[in-house]
């Protein structure tokens, strides 16, 4: 197994755990019905460290898992999370990545992008959410809450970075040797 | 063909496949595919454990806060209170649990039907949708279409089931539509969800021309949508809007159920038939009419 594959697999597992946490443990933390999207936080953290292409791929996989779990509009969330991953990866290539505020900003922008894509595609498939609260309450409030979650979770994400780097160090020599 | 073209073709094919899948799954579905079932059943035990942990934390925080207030009022007993805090916390949690179960038992008594009590273990995966997952499934006799209520009134209906969990589509989901009626006049209305993530409003459309809706009207289920039995409380009309010509009315309803704090719910197993006497005064009225 290459380091990249192991990293992808572990991050996807983390995204699945994040889904379980955001639908249960974080259910009581809603503000006006808005809850943080922890799967997005995981996707953005991975994309910042791994680049736009990798971020898009992980967003695609994690988004598909979330869609499959939700059972509604399967594919729309997949594309939205892929867009978020690509966007965050692109931002990561341009900015200093290991900083809590960079994380928060990347999460905010990616959340806006992801939910914007979701709203547009969902409306194309006949789900006419009112644009007023769609943009104001879900997209903007959601992006703020996601960014806040990113700041709170930053120590955990930074530790995950370091663990990922250690994984690279451990697996790469054996992969190169064997 | 060059590799670049293969990549472009693969991306287009993926996009088309996802678009097709989105189209097929744009409405709530009763049928759940095997991968969906596996995923839901795999995540459910983790969600149940995490929900229980979240409730414990919530109860403990509330209990600690109330103990703090008591301490201020009873300084003389501070030492005693400190010693009993641990026991109090546990007792308080048990009391809250009992309260919820008593409320539920009250509803269940009023229902006089076959039912299954269930606990909410997860909220919707996205704020765009209004649904919850409960810890009862096909093995408990649940099937798509069954009505779900709690102590406050109508919650929604079972959208799909796996062996041990069920997805409940809430009344406030954009795709939810339930037959209702004005409690006093029995005028039929349609109650539609708006998708509001906080679940604080639904829309009411009158089904009879010429009958006016008024703020304060109590809306209950009519039994006409083949989901709920007749008489389950839905909410109160808060605001009535007329269209430009004044011919059509549209009302905003505030549901009785607090959809952000759902915990225990009851799934009615014997379906939509018959009528429910929800309020004690309904029973009293009926008894006096019989006499």
């Amino acid at each position: 197994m290459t380091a990249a594959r192991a990293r992808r697999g572990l991050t996807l597992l983390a995204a699945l755990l994040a889904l379980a946490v955001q639908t249960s443990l974080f259910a009581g933390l809603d503000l006006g019905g808005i809850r943080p999207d922890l799967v997005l936080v995981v996707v953005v953290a991975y994309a910042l460290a791994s680049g736009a292409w990798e971020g898009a791929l992980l967003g695609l996989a994690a988004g598909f898992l979330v869609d499959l779990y939700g059972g509604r509009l399967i594919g729309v969330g997949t594309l939205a999370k892929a867009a978020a991953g690509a966007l965050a990866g692109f931002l990561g290539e341009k900015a200093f990545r290991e900083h809590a505020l960079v994380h928060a900003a990347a999460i905010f922008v990616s959340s806006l992008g992801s939910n914007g894509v979701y709203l547009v595609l969902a409306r194309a498939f006949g789900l006419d959410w009112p644009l007023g609260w769609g943009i104001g309450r879900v997209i903007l409030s959601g992006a703020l809450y996601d960014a806040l979650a990113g700041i709170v979770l930053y120590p955990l994400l930074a530790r995950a970075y370091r663990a990922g780097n250690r994984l690279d160090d451990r697996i790469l020599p054996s992969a190169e040797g064997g | 063909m060059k590799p670049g073209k293969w990549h472009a073709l693969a991306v287009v094919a993926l996009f088309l496949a996802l678009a097709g899948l989105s189209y097929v799954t744009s409405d709530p579905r009763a049928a759940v595919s095997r991968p969906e079932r596996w995923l839901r059943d795999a995540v459910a035990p983790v969600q149940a454990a995490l929900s229980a942990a979240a409730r414990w934390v919530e109860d403990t925080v509330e209990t600690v806060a109330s103990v703090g207030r008591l301490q201020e009022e009873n300084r003389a007993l501070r030492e005693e209170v400190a010693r009993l805090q641990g026991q109090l916390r546990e007792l308080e949690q048990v009391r809250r649990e009992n309260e919820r179960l008593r409320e539920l038992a009250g509803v269940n008594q009023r229902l006089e039907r076959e039912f299954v009590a269930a606990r909410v273990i997860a909220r919707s995966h996205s704020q765009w949708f209004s649904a919850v997952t409960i810890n009862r499934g096909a093995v408990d006799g649940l099937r798509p279409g069954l009505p779900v209520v709690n102590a406050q009134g109508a919650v929604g209906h079972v959208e799909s089931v796996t062996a041990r969990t069920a997805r409940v589509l809430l009344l406030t989901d954009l795709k939810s539509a339930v037959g209702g009626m004005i409690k006093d006049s029995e005028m039929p209305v349609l109650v539609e969800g708006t998708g509001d993530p906080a679940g604080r409003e639904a829309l009411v459309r009158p089904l009879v021309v010429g009958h006016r809706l008024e703020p304060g009207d109590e809306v209950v289920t009519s039994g006409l949508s083949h989901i709920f039995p007749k008489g389950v409380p839905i909410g109160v009309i808060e605001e009535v809007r007329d269209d430009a010509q004044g011919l059509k009315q549209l009302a905003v309803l505030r549901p009785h159920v607090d959809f952000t704090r759902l915990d225990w719910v009851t799934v009615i197993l014997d379906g939509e038939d018959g009528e429910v006497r929800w309020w004690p005064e309904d029973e009293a009225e009926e008894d006096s009419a019989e006499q």
Side-chain angles (χ1 to χ4, degrees):
Chain A
M1 190 198 283
T2 66
R5 270 193 196 167
R7 203 190 261 249
R8 269 183 221 140
L10 286 173
T11 314
L12 205 55
L13 208 61
L16 198 60
L17 186 66
L19 173 67
V21 172
Q22 86 181 37
T23 53
S24 53
L25 195 62
F26 274 45
L29 295 179
D30 70 295
L31 296 174
I34 304 296
R35 293 183 301 278
D37 185 346
L38 297 185
V39 178
L40 182 92
V41 173
V42 171
V43 168
V44 169
Y46 178 83
L48 278 173
S50 314
W53 176 246
E54 278 285 321
L57 276 183
L58 186 87
L60 204 70
F64 188 70
L65 273 182
V66 174
D67 276 358
L68 205 59
Y69 167 81
R72 301 273 294 275
L73 283 178
I74 298 174
V76 170
T78 311
L79 292 171
K81 287 278 188 302
L87 198 59
F90 176 75
L91 291 173
E93 287 162 10
K94 306 280 171 203
F96 177 65
R97 302 178 302 218
E98 293 191 32
H99 194 282
L101 286 180
V102 174
H103 260 261
I107 289 169
F108 180 78
V109 172
S110 306
S111 177
L112 284 182
S114 171
N115 275 319
V117 168
Y118 201 99
L119 181 62
V120 169
L121 290 179
R123 284 179 73 88
F125 286 109
L127 276 101
D128 288 327
W129 284 294
L131 277 178
W133 70 248
I135 294 170
R137 281 173 57 191
V138 178
I139 298 184
L140 283 174
S141 318
L144 280 171
Y145 208 173
D146 290 346
L148 187 69
I151 292 176
V152 174
L153 293 174
Y154 180 73
L156 194 70
L157 299 173
R159 195 174 290 177
Y161 273 138
R162 288 195 284 275
N165 289 338
R166 278 201 298 277
L167 189 74
D168 284 351
D169 295 342
R170 208 174 294 168
I171 293 178
L172 271 179
S174 62
E176 281 163 4
Chain B
M1 202 180 282
K2 288 179 184 172
K5 283 192 177 174
W6 278 115
H7 280 151
L9 265 180
V11 169
V12 171
L14 181 71
F15 189 83
L16 287 176
L18 289 175
L21 204 54
S22 300
Y23 179 74
V24 173
T25 55
S26 58
D27 283 325
R29 291 170 298 135
V32 182
S33 67
R34 199 171 288 177
E36 287 175 275
R37 224 170 21 235
W38 285 340
L39 187 60
R40 284 191 205 177
D41 283 340
V43 175
V46 184
Q47 289 171 321
L50 290 174
S51 291
R55 272 192 290 268
W56 184 85
V57 170
E58 208 175 300
D59 286 351
T60 304
V61 168
E62 278 178 32
T63 308
V64 168
S66 67
V67 167
R69 280 197 300 276
L70 278 175
Q71 277 178 326
E72 290 216 350
E73 289 169 13
N74 303 288
R75 282 187 187 178
L77 295 170
R78 195 168 278 174
E79 280 183 25
E80 186 78 10
V81 169
R83 196 172 58 80
L84 293 171
Q85 261 180 352
Q87 279 176 309
L88 240 174
R89 266 199 292 276
E90 279 172 27
L91 284 173
E92 184 68 8
Q93 278 166 22
V94 171
R95 189 185 66 78
R96 288 218 175 90
E97 192 76 9
N98 271 341
E99 226 167 59
R100 284 176 204 148
L101 288 171
R102 248 203 313 272
E103 268 187 347
L104 200 71
V107 172
N108 296 340
Q109 252 174 5
R110 291 198 291 271
L111 288 170
E112 292 172 352
R113 283 157 181 272
E114 215 183 318
F115 59 83
V116 168
R119 201 148 203 192
V120 173
I121 57 167
R123 309 285 313 180
S124 178
H125 66 295
S126 154
Q127 33 253 12
W128 295 107
F129 301 107
S130 306
V132 293
T133 304
I134 56 175
N135 65 349
R136 302 283 179 187
V139 295
D140 304 293
L142 268 60
R143 57 181 192 279
L146 291 178
V148 181
V149 300
N150 75 357
Q152 284 84 45
V155 171
H157 72 272
V158 176
E159 179 192 341
S160 57
V161 293
T162 68
R164 297 189 188 283
T165 69
R167 187 70 55 83
V168 177
L169 189 75
L170 304 181
L171 278 179
T172 49
D173 188 88
L174 190 69
K175 288 281 181 179
S176 165
V178 170
M181 63 182 190
I182 305 301
K183 186 176 173 243
D184 293 337
S185 63
E186 299 212 346
M187 179 183 72
V189 294
L190 189 65
V191 181
E192 297 175 332
T194 59
D196 173 23
R200 282 182 299 228
E201 61 175 42
L203 296 177
V204 177
R205 293 176 197 279
L207 296 177
V208 177
V209 179
H211 199 119
R212 305 282 305 168
L213 297 172
E214 297 293 341
D217 280 350
E218 182 73 46
V219 180
V220 299
T221 56
S222 64
L224 295 175
S225 59
H226 301 291
I227 299 174
F228 287 94
K230 188 178 171 185
V232 181
I234 298 178
V236 179
I237 290 180
E238 278 203 328
E239 187 191 337
V240 180
R241 300 170 193 156
D242 287 291
D243 68 355
Q245 288 78 35
L247 296 173
K248 282 184 187 167
Q249 276 192 312
L250 184 66
V252 178
L253 170 134
R254 178 173 279 269
H256 287 309
V257 172
D258 180 357
F259 289 100
T260 59
R261 296 282 175 266
L262 284 175
D263 187 4
W264 285 98
V265 294
T266 297
V267 184
I268 306 173
L269 293 180
D270 49 358
E272 79 276 11
D273 301 328
E275 187 170 352
V276 168
R277 288 172 301 165
W278 195 273
W279 287 279
E281 63 265 25
D282 289 351
E283 290 181 31
E285 268 174 34
E286 266 179 44
D287 289 345
S288 62
E290 277 170 19
Q291 284 164 10

